[in-house]
Amino acid sequence: MRDADKVNILLVDDQPGKLLSYEAVLREIDENLIKASSGREALEQLLKNDIAVILVDVCMPELDGFQLAAMIREHPRFRHIAIIFISAILLGEMDHLRGYEMGAVDYVPVPVVPEVLRAKVKVFVDLYRKTRQLEDLNRELEQRVSERTRELEESNARLRESEHRRSLALAAGRMGSWDWDLVEQRCVWDEGQCRIFGVDAASFAPSVDTVRPLVHPDDWARIVGAFASSSQERGTFQTELRAVRPSGEIRWCIATATGSFDPHGKLARLSGVTIDITDRKEAEEHQLLLAREVDHRARNALAVVHAIVRLSRANTMEGYVDAVEGRIRALAQTHALLSQTRWQGADLAHLVEEEMAPFRIGQGAKVAAEGASLVLPAEKAQIVALALHELATNAAKYGALSCATGRVHISWRTETGRLVVVWKEAGGPAVEQPIRLGFGSKIMNASLKQQVGGDVIFDWHPGGLVCTLCIPFSRLHVGASDTDLQRSNLVPLKPGLSGRIMLVEDEVLLGMLMRDMITEMGCFVAGPYCSVSEAMVASEGQQFDAAVLDVNLGGEHVYPLAAELTRRGVPCIFVTGYDDEAIDERFSQLPILQKPVSRKGLEPVLRACVKQTIGRAGGETPKERNEAASA
């Protein structure tokens, strides 16, 4: 046996000869034998070594065997050590009882029988060794339990931390998770899922009956169909759905799920994640809207340029080019100012500075400007820019800017509900009122009076032109009677198609161009009207054979007017800078022309609409009908 595996046996006797005899008897059991010649020496050995069995003589000087046993049993560490008394005298029954009370486990009389002593000692040695082994196993088991407990605690801590991170990630990503046990018919939603669908996580119990009202009806059938068609080969699917919150709010979501199947291939469980993509959807729609708006503005700009090219007049080619380039440059400068503010408006002072820059605004210059900083809306900024350009062009050709001594003073002020801009010339050639208005004057009159409900006043003072522009802060209803509107917006009839056409267009140049084109086709033109309310007033009590309508009138859709005209049987033609997809579905069957509109594109569509009206009227021409009405 290895020395490390041997146990200690303490032999206590005051006679050396007996100790030698005990040692000789017990040598065969191959354990460590420790000898002590007194009780005190025995206590010292106990303190130094772990003892399995003690053989102690009953009769010893100083401390006899009973006293030593009593002292050993009083110490907690030695309470369970096996003590065998050896006695050379005959002990009575009371002595045996006393010995057992002191903690003895057995008695051996002298003379000692070696086999009996070895057998008894060996029994207690084996018992001690097994007890030690059990203690070692118990300590090892406790250590393993402790380690396993620590591992479980660490694992639980990691799991809780992972769940916390997952919850934070789901919340940050506006996601929710769910699990649906189809066998047990049990569904579990986490807080994120409840938050997406707008329900209380503490009280909401997810089930087929409670979840179905929270999903848009058009999406529910598709989701159920995806579940039904899932298989082990296609156990994962993803779909978009609309969550309908109890408040009625709709949230766009993406649901991703994976299925678990039983041994027969039947779907048994679904686990998934729902992501709220409402913000992304709104951003996509906003981007689409911006793209459409860019297209709209670009087409409108091209249409305005097209109108400038078609409507500009000059005696020479060089004069024509200069006129067209100047007007386009004025629009481009205004566009640049509006782009800087993302089309929120343009500062009037900057606008004046840009338009009059060629004449060196500043100290000692021929043009001076005076007025507070004021931001004009986009549509009014373009009108003012064109008006300033036309005034400057006229002054450079015939007025104060055509000579070295001339001066121009531009001022603006705000009054109740309107902006007043005053253009005043001095020091130039003598001024005479023109016999007829030029193209620039027509643009100013049409844009200010019809498009924004303002006014323009020309004072042809001999000392210099004074022009006053009055622009309302908000679009006001034009207080003209139906008769006035009819009289002011009718163009004399020319031979040709002979139809009565309503024209609605808020961009003055486009309105003038389309009015000329329709007139050249041989039609009456009522308009152009610049707002839905104005056109509604003009349409009351009048009969039109067709209507040409700009879809967007300064941010207001023409749909109410189109609905009223369609109800009365008037064919309508839409003109727009937007794509066809942007048109209200109610009017998707109407003809749609993209800006810029040419006569070649407008005439066949308009002719078909007028013929459609003539057919419904039983062959009576619009001219005959109008003449009959006049009579």
Side-chain angles (χ1 to χ4, degrees):
M1 183 182 298
R2 297 181 308 168
D3 292 341
D5 296 332
K6 294 179 180 181
V7 301
N8 297 319
I9 301 173
L10 178 61
L11 309 177
V12 184
D13 202 309
D14 60 331
Q15 297 181 23
K18 288 184 178 180
L19 290 175
L20 290 175
S21 64
Y22 300 154
E23 184 178 7
V25 171
L26 298 176
R27 186 176 292 120
E28 292 183 11
I29 63 176
D30 194 19
E31 304 292 349
N32 290 329
L33 303 177
I34 301 174
K35 294 178 289 183
S37 58
S38 66
R40 295 184 182 279
E41 187 176 348
L43 291 175
E44 291 177 0
Q45 293 295 336
L46 283 170
L47 293 174
K48 295 178 182 179
N49 302 285
D50 291 329
I51 304 299
V53 181
I54 302 176
L55 271 67
V56 56
D57 187 13
V58 173
C59 298
M60 290 188 300
E62 296 184 2
L63 290 175
D64 62 16
F66 294 136
Q67 293 173 329
L68 177 60
M71 295 179 67
I72 292 173
R73 287 290 183 259
E74 288 177 357
H75 198 291
R77 178 183 167 188
F78 311 136
R79 187 169 296 167
H80 301 292
I81 297 178
I83 301 175
I84 300 175
F85 282 150
I86 299 177
S87 176
I89 61 174
L90 183 63
L91 298 177
E93 185 176 350
M94 294 302 296
D95 294 323
H96 284 83
L97 290 175
R98 182 186 175 192
Y100 288 130
E101 288 177 356
M102 294 298 106
V105 295
D106 206 345
Y107 278 89
V108 176
V110 177
V112 173
V113 179
E115 291 78 5
V116 173
L117 181 60
R118 282 196 295 270
K120 290 185 176 184
V121 171
K122 189 173 181 180
V123 168
F124 291 113
V125 167
D126 291 341
L127 180 61
Y128 174 81
R129 181 174 281 114
K130 291 178 180 179
T131 301
R132 289 288 299 273
Q133 291 175 349
L134 287 176
E135 289 176 353
D136 292 342
L137 289 174
N138 187 54
R139 282 194 297 271
E140 182 180 354
L141 179 60
E142 289 179 351
Q143 183 177 358
R144 289 181 179 179
V145 170
S146 176
E147 291 175 353
R148 182 58 177 166
T149 302
R150 185 172 63 255
E151 290 176 358
L152 288 175
E153 290 175 351
E154 292 175 353
S155 177
N156 288 334
R158 289 193 299 269
L159 183 61
R160 286 193 297 271
E161 184 179 355
S162 175
E163 179 65 20
H164 180 64
R165 289 197 302 268
R166 187 190 70 89
S167 299
L168 290 178
L170 290 175
R174 296 187 176 184
M175 295 185 290
S177 63
W178 52 273
D179 185 84
W180 196 341
D181 190 330
L182 301 178
V183 177
E184 300 292 336
Q185 290 299 312
R186 184 176 63 254
C187 187
V188 178
W189 281 16
D190 69 353
E191 291 185 4
Q193 185 79 357
C194 293
R195 183 169 52 252
I196 291 174
F197 283 80
V199 295
D200 183 13
S203 59
F204 181 71
S207 66
V208 174
D209 294 334
T210 58
V211 172
R212 185 168 186 168
L214 301 177
V215 179
H216 195 282
D218 295 343
D219 301 331
W220 179 263
R222 186 177 69 257
I223 295 172
V224 172
F227 288 170
S229 62
S230 61
S231 62
Q232 291 180 334
E233 292 75 20
R234 293 191 309 111
T236 301
F237 71 92
Q238 178 175 297
T239 186
E240 281 192 3
L241 62 90
R242 285 161 289 181
V244 183
R245 290 181 171 179
S247 62
E249 180 187 2
I250 293 180
R251 307 291 295 182
W252 278 95
C253 305
I254 288 181
T256 302
T258 183
S260 301
F261 299 84
D262 62 17
H264 304 289
K266 184 179 180 181
L267 184 64
R269 193 184 195 96
L270 280 167
S271 301
V273 174
T274 304
I275 307 173
D276 188 337
I277 60 168
T278 304
D279 290 346
R280 191 177 79 187
K281 275 283 186 181
E282 291 176 351
E284 290 175 354
E285 292 177 359
H286 183 62
Q287 290 291 337
L288 180 60
L289 179 63
L290 287 178
R292 288 176 176 173
E293 191 63 27
V294 168
D295 290 342
H296 170 67
R297 293 188 186 277
R299 286 170 177 160
N300 268 358
L302 291 173
V304 171
V305 171
H306 178 228
I308 289 174
V309 172
R310 286 290 304 270
L311 295 174
S312 295
R313 300 289 185 270
N315 295 328
T316 65
M317 180 58 71
E318 183 179 354
Y320 174 79
V321 171
D322 290 342
V324 170
E325 285 183 346
R327 287 164 182 151
I328 293 176
R329 183 168 55 252
L331 287 175
Q333 290 171 347
T334 308
H335 187 280
L337 290 176
L338 292 172
S339 296
Q340 293 173 6
T341 62
R342 297 188 179 181
W343 285 80
Q344 297 300 310
D347 188 275
L348 180 55
H350 290 169
L351 195 63
V352 172
E353 181 180 354
E354 290 289 338
E355 294 299 334
M356 308 308 295
F359 307 100
R360 294 164 45 191
I361 297 177
Q363 186 174 4
K366 301 176 67 175
V367 179
E370 179 184 3
S373 178
L374 180 67
V375 176
L376 293 175
E379 69 279 1
K380 295 178 181 178
Q382 290 182 322
I383 292 172
V384 172
L386 278 176
L388 291 174
H389 172 76
E390 297 301 331
L391 289 170
T393 300
N394 183 73
K397 289 182 178 180
Y398 315 110
L401 298 180
S402 65
C403 62
T405 59
R407 296 290 184 270
V408 172
H409 182 267
I410 306 171
S411 63
W412 58 89
R413 65 183 185 275
T414 56
E415 297 179 353
T416 304
R418 66 177 186 169
L419 167 68
V420 178
V421 180
V422 179
W423 172 284
K424 187 174 183 180
E425 299 183 21
V431 175
E432 295 182 2
Q433 184 172 354
I435 299 175
R436 61 181 180 84
L437 293 179
F439 176 66
S441 299
K442 290 181 180 178
I443 290 178
M444 294 170 62
N445 274 291
S447 60
L448 286 166
K449 292 182 179 181
Q450 295 182 21
Q451 188 166 341
V452 299
D455 199 6
V456 55
I457 302 170
F458 292 99
D459 182 4
W460 302 98
H461 192 275
L465 170 65
V466 178
C467 180
T468 304
L469 310 178
C470 299
I471 305 169
F473 285 156
S474 60
R475 172 70 179 174
L476 301 177
H477 176 67
V478 180
S481 65
D482 295 352
T483 305
D484 292 336
L485 286 168
Q486 296 175 36
R487 186 182 301 113
S488 63
N489 287 293
L490 283 178
V491 175
L493 179 66
K494 295 181 180 180
L497 190 57
S498 302
R500 185 180 179 87
I501 312 301
M502 168 177 268
L503 175 61
V504 180
E505 170 61 64
D506 64 333
E507 183 63 55
V508 61
L509 290 175
L510 300 185
M512 293 172 66
L513 173 61
M514 294 182 66
R515 178 172 173 165
D516 287 354
M517 286 194 300
I518 296 173
T519 303
E520 291 170 3
M521 298 176 198
C523 297
F524 282 111
V525 178
Y529 302 107
C530 299
S531 70
V532 174
S533 59
E534 185 181 3
M536 282 288 199
V537 171
S539 68
E540 293 177 0
Q542 296 193 63
Q543 180 63 39
F544 297 102
D545 299 297
V548 179
L549 311 176
D550 182 12
V551 174
N552 190 322
L553 302 173
E556 181 184 19
H557 285 111
V558 79
Y559 299 141
L561 175 62
E564 174 62 19
L565 293 174
T566 303
R567 185 188 67 80
R568 290 162 49 182
V570 179
C572 296
I573 302 170
F574 278 164
V575 176
T576 181
Y578 293 106
D579 292 331
D580 294 355
E581 292 79 4
I583 303 300
D584 191 309
E585 293 180 357
R586 295 175 296 166
F587 307 101
S588 58
Q589 78 283 359
L590 296 183
I592 301 172
L593 300 178
Q594 298 288 343
K595 294 181 179 180
V597 177
S598 65
R599 177 175 174 177
K600 183 178 179 181
L602 175 61
E603 184 168 5
V605 179
L606 186 60
R607 186 180 297 275
C609 289
V610 173
K611 286 185 177 180
Q612 177 184 343
T613 305
I614 294 173
R616 285 201 304 268
E620 182 183 10
T621 67
K623 182 177 179 180
E624 294 170 345
R625 187 168 62 253
N626 291 334
E627 290 175 349
S630 299

